[in-house]
Amino acid sequence: MLPKNIPPAYFRPHRPHNCRRAGFHNYKAPGYYMITFNKGENIPDFSYLAGDIRSSENPPAAILTEIGELINSKIADIDRMPEFEIPNYVIMPDHIHLLWRVKKWLPRDLGHYVAYLKAQSTALWHERLGTDPDISLFTPKFNDKISFSDQMTERFSSYISDNPRRRLTVMTNPELFNRAHRVRILDKEMDFYGNFLLLKHPIIAAAVVSSRYTEEERTRYEFAWEEAIRTQGVLISPFISEKEKTLMRRGIESGASIIRIVPDGIGPKYKPSGQEFDLCAQGRSLHIGPPRQSAHIDPLSRSHCLSLNALAHWIASHPTERMTLLRNPRLPE
C-alpha cells in the first residue's frame, strides 16, 4: 500500500494539462485548434462564475476579474493579427479555452504564438499591478486539440461556450458525481455512476478492437484512439477484450477519461472498485448500463457484446444526441 501522501501512479488532476504535440501534424499549417492553458499556482482567479443553470434569462457565465480583463485584451490583440482569428473563447477561473484559427501558413509553430500570448498577458499584469516579474500568470506549456472537420470545429466551439454551465453544474450538483442516476440513450433508459458530463466531451473515441475491421476501418479507429489519448479525451467501450483493456490502461496513464459500458447493468448499490472508483472521484470516469435490481447475472453472450460495442460506436459518433438526463428514480422528488 502506498503512503497516504503519495497518490497512485494513475492519478491525474482533472484539468487539461497534457502538452504533447501531435507528431503527424504540422503546426505551421492553416486550420482550427482548441487551445487550453492553466492558471499558475497562487495566481488569483481569472474570473468567477455567475448565473443559473436552470435559467435562459440568466445563463451561466464567466465574469472577468481584473486579471481576466488584462488577458482578454491580449486575446483581442491576437484576434486582430492577419494570420489568426479567435472565433470563440472562454476565460474560466483557473484555465482558458480558445478556438484558434490559423488563416495561413506560419513562419513558426503555433506554440510560439501561444507562448507569445501568455508572455504578453503576464507582462501587462506586471506593468499594471506591479507584480513580481519572475512570476507567470500561467503554468508552463499548453494543451491542443486539432480540428479535422467542420463538425469538429463546431463541437469545439460548443464545448467552449458551454464551459461555465458545466462547471456550475458540478459545483451546484456534486451528488451527480458519486451516486447512480438515470439517463436515456437512444430509446433505452440506463443508469450511470460518475461524471455524466463526459458524454458531452468534444473528443470521444470508441475503444472497440475487432479482427473484422477492414484496413481502412482499423486505420481510422486507431487514429481516433491515439488522438483521444493524446488530447486527454474520452475512450468509451465495455473494455472486455485484453486489447481493449490494454488500450484503457494506456489511456488512463496518459490522462484520458473513460466511459465504461457495464455489461451486467448497474444495481442500486453499484460502485466501481479500485482504480476506477478513484477516477470517478476525479471526474475522469463514467459507468453506464441498464438498471439491474437482481443479483443474478446472465452469462455474457457474443450478441450482447456486439450490441454493447455498437452502443459505444453510436455514442462516439453522435455528439449532439448522446443523452437525456432523467430524474434519479431512487431519490425523492
Side-chain angles (χ1 to χ4, degrees):
M1 181 177 293
L2 291 171
K4 290 184 178 180
N5 62 334
I6 299 178
Y10 54 79
F11 178 81
R12 298 288 189 280
H14 182 54
R15 59 192 302 181
H17 70 288
N18 193 317
C19 301
R20 291 173 296 169
R21 305 280 78 82
F24 60 84
H25 184 73
N26 187 338
Y27 283 90
K28 298 178 183 179
Y32 285 88
Y33 304 82
M34 187 166 79
I35 302 297
T36 302
F37 43 89
N38 299 321
K39 179 174 73 68
E41 187 177 0
N42 299 323
I43 298 297
D45 286 351
F46 299 157
S47 65
Y48 63 91
L49 299 178
D52 187 339
I53 60 174
R54 295 167 294 275
S55 172
S56 59
E57 296 181 357
N58 182 30
I63 310 302
L64 300 183
T65 62
E66 185 175 6
I67 295 177
E69 291 286 2
L70 298 178
I71 298 169
N72 191 55
S73 70
K74 290 304 175 182
I75 294 174
D77 288 346
I78 295 290
D79 189 48
R80 284 190 286 266
M81 292 182 177
E83 304 94 333
F84 303 124
E85 179 188 6
I86 309 293
N88 198 7
Y89 65 97
V90 63
I91 301 175
M92 295 292 284
D94 61 351
H95 67 277
I96 297 171
H97 290 302
L98 303 103
L99 183 61
W100 192 313
R101 179 191 174 197
V102 177
K103 295 182 179 180
K104 55 187 180 181
W105 283 91
L106 301 173
R108 303 184 68 171
D109 282 357
L110 178 60
H112 168 79
Y113 304 94
V114 176
Y116 174 80
L117 169 60
K118 295 168 69 175
Q120 289 295 301
S121 299
T122 297
L124 183 59
W125 175 54
H126 295 322
E127 177 187 329
R128 295 283 181 85
L129 302 182
T131 47
D132 185 341
D134 294 328
I135 298 177
S136 174
L137 283 174
F138 311 100
T139 58
K141 303 184 180 180
F142 66 95
N143 171 266
D144 77 270
K145 293 177 173 62
I146 307 164
S147 174
F148 299 103
S149 66
D150 292 342
Q151 292 82 1
M152 186 171 285
T153 300
E154 181 58 35
R155 194 183 304 180
F156 288 168
S157 185
S158 297
Y159 180 83
I160 290 169
S161 297
D162 200 36
N163 227 239
R165 185 195 65 81
R166 288 196 309 275
R167 176 68 71 86
L168 271 180
T169 298
V170 176
M171 292 168 60
T172 57
N173 297 280
E175 75 280 0
L176 292 179
F177 296 84
N178 56 20
R179 302 175 70 172
H181 284 66
R182 188 156 292 178
V183 65
R184 181 179 292 115
I185 299 177
L186 293 176
D187 59 346
K188 301 175 183 177
E189 289 192 6
M190 307 184 80
D191 281 356
F192 68 83
Y193 187 102
N195 182 0
F196 76 93
L197 290 176
L198 290 178
L199 284 166
K200 295 294 187 181
H201 198 283
I203 295 182
I204 299 183
V208 176
V209 181
S210 172
S211 60
R212 295 177 178 268
Y213 290 152
T214 65
E215 190 62 34
E216 180 183 354
E217 288 173 330
R218 183 179 296 106
T219 299
R220 184 170 73 250
Y221 290 136
E222 287 178 352
F223 177 84
W225 304 335
E226 296 306 319
E227 189 64 4
I229 291 172
R230 183 187 73 84
T231 61
Q232 294 189 313
V234 179
L235 296 175
I236 180 169
S237 173
F239 299 109
I240 295 171
S241 75
E242 282 305 314
K243 289 183 178 179
E244 290 165 353
K245 292 175 182 176
T246 298
L247 190 60
M248 179 186 73
R249 288 191 290 268
R250 191 156 63 82
I252 291 172
E253 290 169 359
S254 298
S257 297
I258 300 299
I259 299 177
R260 178 188 288 278
I261 302 176
V262 182
D264 305 326
I266 293 181
K269 296 183 179 180
Y270 179 87
K271 282 187 179 180
S273 59
Q275 175 182 0
E276 290 187 63
F277 178 84
D278 292 325
L279 291 174
C280 281
Q282 297 168 32
R284 291 178 53 206
S285 184
L286 171 68
H287 286 206
I288 59 176
R292 178 165 61 87
Q293 302 300 326
S294 169
H296 173 73
I297 298 176
D298 293 322
L300 193 59
S301 67
R302 182 174 185 277
S303 62
H304 187 39
C305 290
L306 292 176
S307 70
L308 297 176
N309 291 342
L311 179 60
H313 280 296
W314 186 90
I315 292 173
S317 60
H318 289 73
T320 62
E321 309 168 43
R322 286 177 183 143
M323 67 161 193
T324 302
L325 184 65
L326 306 176
R327 180 186 65 84
N328 188 338
R330 299 173 189 145
L331 295 179
E333 293 280 6

